[in-house]
Amino acid sequence: MTDKDNKGSMTVAEAGRKGGETVRNERGREFYETIGRKGGATVKAERGRAFYEEIGRKGGETVKAERGAKFYEEIGKKGGDRVKATRGPNFYEEIGRKGGQKVKKLIEEGKRAAREAAAPATGNTGHEPSKG
């Protein structure tokens, strides 16, 4: 091929970008949201929840290595400030109360399960021992 033959050619990346822009202009943002949801559902069905947990963990480790733990502090504060501005300080009181109730319930269930598990272990079958 001569230089003349290559005139006007583009890289694969350039072609992909151009094609993506064309689709975006023709079909809009909703199209990408729809196909993204469908793709995510397919991956979830094929690979399961553990796959997403694993890639999320790996991504988090990569970001932490690149940006440091301080990055998470900063974005957490920004997110908290945004939620407070949007929902108000009472929102945190409400979710704190709900969380506390959930923890209390879980502790009670754990204690109940421990008592039930311990009862047979003590040998108490509900029968009086024979005297003989």
Side-chain angles (χ1 to χ4, degrees):
M1 258 190 215
T2 66
D3 286 350
K4 186 177 181 182
D5 293 333
N6 287 331
K7 187 176 182 185
S9 64
M10 60 180 81
T11 67
V12 173
E14 290 169 332
R17 189 171 21 262
K18 186 175 180 182
E21 289 171 358
T22 300
V23 171
R24 181 194 64 211
N25 294 338
E26 289 176 359
R27 299 191 179 204
R29 176 184 174 135
E30 296 79 23
F31 171 75
Y32 287 106
E33 291 174 356
T34 302
I35 64 172
R37 272 193 298 278
K38 287 180 181 179
T42 301
V43 171
K44 183 179 177 186
E46 291 175 356
R47 298 186 180 209
R49 177 182 174 146
F51 171 74
Y52 285 107
E53 291 173 356
E54 178 71 9
I55 63 172
R57 185 185 56 74
K58 287 180 179 178
E61 289 172 359
T62 301
V63 170
K64 184 178 178 185
E66 291 174 356
R67 297 183 177 221
K70 187 87 174 155
F71 171 74
Y72 287 106
E73 292 176 26
E74 292 169 3
I75 64 172
K77 175 141 181 41
K78 286 180 182 179
D81 290 345
R82 173 76 53 93
V83 170
K84 185 177 178 182
T86 303
R87 298 184 177 221
N90 292 340
F91 172 74
Y92 288 107
E93 293 174 11
E94 182 182 335
I95 64 172
R97 190 170 30 261
K98 287 180 180 178
Q101 291 169 353
K102 178 73 172 177
V103 169
K104 182 179 177 183
K105 179 182 174 189
L106 291 172
I107 290 171
E108 290 170 358
E109 290 174 2
K111 287 180 180 179
R112 187 177 324 112
R115 284 193 304 270
E116 292 171 2
T122 61
N124 182 0
T125 62
H127 299 287
E128 290 292 321
S130 61
K131 294 183 182 178

